[in-house]
């Protein structure tokens, strides 16, 4: 094995131009695959406040279907639907309700900021564990007593209060004054379910909109489960509750439809109407294969050209007793070695590109790409796959040359 690696290193140095083209193609391919993987892993992977995301079901949409040509109504859930039905689910470890306000204004003295606001209940931080720097989370008492309290991010605290201690300060939003009781580290905006600049208590005293629909509103439910088996049981329980929701025949209502899905499954449900979370892995693998297949075709031709220059070497080795399988093994090891070098370069380039995107906010404000160990493992696996994809056919073709034909080809 060591001999094969030494031969691979010698082969790289013997033809610098071919080596540069091959390493450039490999490194660029791995960089693109890992960059796309970084976007998906940061947005949907089990990291940070999303560490339990694969055990969380999200119910964000209810469709009320009507008969004939009366169409349907489609929206998020109302608090009434949560309180009277879904909050009574038995399977989840914890269940939470929230409401997003993507654009809001917050004021302190003469300062004003445009922010993202989220109304959350006392269980929200058990679903998405925000990192508290100081202060506390909301309690059920805060919601029941309609306390005007707020949790803000460390970034917003710095912008509003500077070096002052934010706890106990009053800020104005929603035309009301709120006392700051907690400071949390600002979440990555790519983890959209947990992201906000300011968190205010969810209004559990709101009344349903009878003029529209008692079950339609602007709230999202989150259900966290102990394990995947409980999650499946939770989906079944959720569907049973949806089926039990009363319908108003006087308004031509026929049935209600809703799904409780994981964040990854929701991605494909919104795109393809497919609610299988396993599609996420298929999708990621398909992206990697497409990104690697076309460069692999080019590298196959380059490898054939590069290895063809060594036919006399292969012929001499065969003359001294090396079998075709020995030559195949040698050439594959050489290609894996070369590809691993390109893969390492590609991974280093990925770190550089991610750093540039984060520094200049090219993904968007507050959207930061991350690279985790699982992504590095994925990049390593892609590198090995790429080496086999691009190197097996050229190695097989050259290793099967006969001794005489190998020497003749080299002489020509």
């Amino acid at each position: 094995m060591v001999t094969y690696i030494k031969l691979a290193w010698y082969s790289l140095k013997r033809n610098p131009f071919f080596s540069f083209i091959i390493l450039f193609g490999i490194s660029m391919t791995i960089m693109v695959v890992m960059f796309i993987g970084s976007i998906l892993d940061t947005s949907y992977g089990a990291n940070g406040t999303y560490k339990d995301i694969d055990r969380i079901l999200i119910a964000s949409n209810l469709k009320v279907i009507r008969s004939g040509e009366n169409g349907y109504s489609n929206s998020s859930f109302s608090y009434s639907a949560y309180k009277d039905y879904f909050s009574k689910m038995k399977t989840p470890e914890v269940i939470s309700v929230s409401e997003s306000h993507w654009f809001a204004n917050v004021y302190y003295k003469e300062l004003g900021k445009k922010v993202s606001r989220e109304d959350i209940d006392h269980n929200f931080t058990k679903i998405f564990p925000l990192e508290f720097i100081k202060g506390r989370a909301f309690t059920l008492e805060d919601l029941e007593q309609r306390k005007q309290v707020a949790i803000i991010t460390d970034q917003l605290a710095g912008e509003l209060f500077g070096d002052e201690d934010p706890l106990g300060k009053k800020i104005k939003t929603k035309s009301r004054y709120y006392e700051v009781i907690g400071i949390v580290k600002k979440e990555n905006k790519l983890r959209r379910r947990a992201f906000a600049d300011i968190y205010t208590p969810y209004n559990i005293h709101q009344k349903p909109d009878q003029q529209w629909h008692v079950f339609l509103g602007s709230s999202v439910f989150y259900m966290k489960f102990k394990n995947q088996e409980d999650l499946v049981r939770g989906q079944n329980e959720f569907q049973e509750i949806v089926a039990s929701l009363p319908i108003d025949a006087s308004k031509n209502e026929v049935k209600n439809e809703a799904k409780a899905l994981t964040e990854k499954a929701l991605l494909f449900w919104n795109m393809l109407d497919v609610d299988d979370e396993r599609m996420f892995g298929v999708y990621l693998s398909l992206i990697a294969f497409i990104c690697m297949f076309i460069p692999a075709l080019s590298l196959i031709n380059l490898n054939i050209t590069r290895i063809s220059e060594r036919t006399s070497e292969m012929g001499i080795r065969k003359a001294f007793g090396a079998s075709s399988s020995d030559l195949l093994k040698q050439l594959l090891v050489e290609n894996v070695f070369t590809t691993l070098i390109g893969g390492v370069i590609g991974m280093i380039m990925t770190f550089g590109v991610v750093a540039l995107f984060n520094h200049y906010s090219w993904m968007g404000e507050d959207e930061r790409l991350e690279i985790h160990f699982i992504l590095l493992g994925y990049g390593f696996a892609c590198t090995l796959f790429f080496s086999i994809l691009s190197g097996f056919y050229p190695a097989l073709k050259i290793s099967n040359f006969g001794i005489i034909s190998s020497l003749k080809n080299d002489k020509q």
Side-chain angles (χ1 to χ4, degrees), residues 130-322:
L130 301 174
E131 184 179 339
F132 276 83
I133 297 173
K134 58 173 63 176
R136 64 174 179 86
F138 296 145
T139 64
L140 181 58
E141 182 183 2
D142 292 331
L143 277 64
E144 291 176 338
Q145 297 183 7
R146 304 189 185 193
K147 291 185 179 180
Q148 302 298 299
V149 290
I151 299 168
I152 64 175
T153 64
D154 54 346
Q155 180 177 316
L156 182 60
E159 293 172 348
L160 292 178
F161 307 112
D163 295 330
E164 298 179 38
D165 186 358
L167 295 185
K169 294 289 194 300
K170 299 279 188 177
I171 57 176
K172 185 179 181 181
T173 187
K174 296 195 298 185
S175 302
R176 297 177 182 176
Y177 285 94
Y178 290 79
E179 178 185 348
V180 177
I181 64 167
I183 308 297
V184 296
K185 182 179 179 182
K186 188 165 188 178
E187 185 49 72
N188 193 332
K189 196 173 183 179
L190 290 174
R191 300 188 185 104
R192 59 193 182 102
R193 302 290 178 180
F195 174 82
D197 295 297
I198 175 172
Y199 303 87
T200 49
Y202 185 89
N203 180 14
I204 63 172
H205 303 282
Q206 59 185 281
K207 303 297 181 183
D209 188 350
Q210 299 288 352
Q211 295 182 346
W212 186 24
H213 196 283
V214 67
F215 298 136
L216 296 177
S218 52
S219 300
V220 177
F221 311 152
Y222 301 100
M223 295 152 275
K224 181 179 174 181
F225 299 86
K226 184 177 181 180
N227 50 49
Q228 289 297 317
E229 291 75 16
D230 284 352
L231 185 143
V232 173
R233 285 194 290 269
Q235 286 180 312
N236 294 332
E237 184 183 4
F238 180 86
Q239 289 303 321
E240 290 173 2
I241 294 176
V242 172
S244 71
L245 294 176
I247 57 175
D248 190 344
S250 66
K251 296 181 180 179
N252 301 308
E253 293 178 3
V254 177
K255 64 176 179 177
N256 299 306
E257 289 183 354
K259 284 184 176 291
L261 302 172
T262 63
E263 183 78 326
K264 292 174 183 175
L266 274 172
L267 172 67
F268 291 95
W269 175 252
N270 293 329
M271 291 194 309
L272 306 170
D273 283 349
V274 176
D275 60 1
D276 190 346
E277 183 180 320
R278 291 173 297 181
M279 283 295 296
F280 186 83
V282 174
Y283 182 63
L284 196 57
S285 300
L286 186 61
I287 289 175
F289 181 77
I290 292 173
C291 289
M292 290 189 293
F293 182 71
I294 297 176
L297 292 178
S298 299
L299 284 179
I300 286 173
N301 291 326
L302 283 173
N303 280 332
I304 290 175
T305 303
R306 180 171 64 93
I307 296 175
S308 294
E309 297 176 350
R310 302 169 59 192
T311 53
S312 63
E313 175 192 336
M314 300 298 111
I316 293 171
R317 286 208 60 201
K318 276 196 170 186
F320 280 89

Side-chain angles (χ1 to χ4, degrees), residues 364-381:
E365 187 178 1
D366 299 320
E367 295 181 353
R368 304 180 303 278
L369 294 177
E370 300 170 2
I371 297 178
H372 302 101
F373 285 116
I374 190 171
L375 186 61
L376 293 176
Y378 179 75
F380 182 74

Side-chain angles (χ1 to χ4, degrees), residues 295-359:
L297 292 178
S298 299
L299 284 179
I300 286 173
N301 291 326
L302 283 173
N303 280 332
I304 290 175
T305 303
R306 180 171 64 93
I307 296 175
S308 294
E309 297 176 350
R310 302 169 59 192
T311 53
S312 63
E313 175 192 336
M314 300 298 111
I316 293 171
R317 286 208 60 201
K318 276 196 170 186
F320 280 89
S323 65
S324 294
S325 61
D326 291 331
L327 298 180
L328 177 63
K329 181 181 177 181
Q330 174 191 337
L331 295 174
L332 281 177
V333 169
E334 290 182 12
N335 197 67
V336 169
F337 176 75
T338 304
T339 308
L340 285 176
I341 294 175
V344 170
I345 296 172
M347 292 180 190
I348 294 172
M349 290 170 63
T350 305
F351 277 97
V353 170
V354 166
L356 285 173
F357 268 73
N358 290 340
H359 180 75

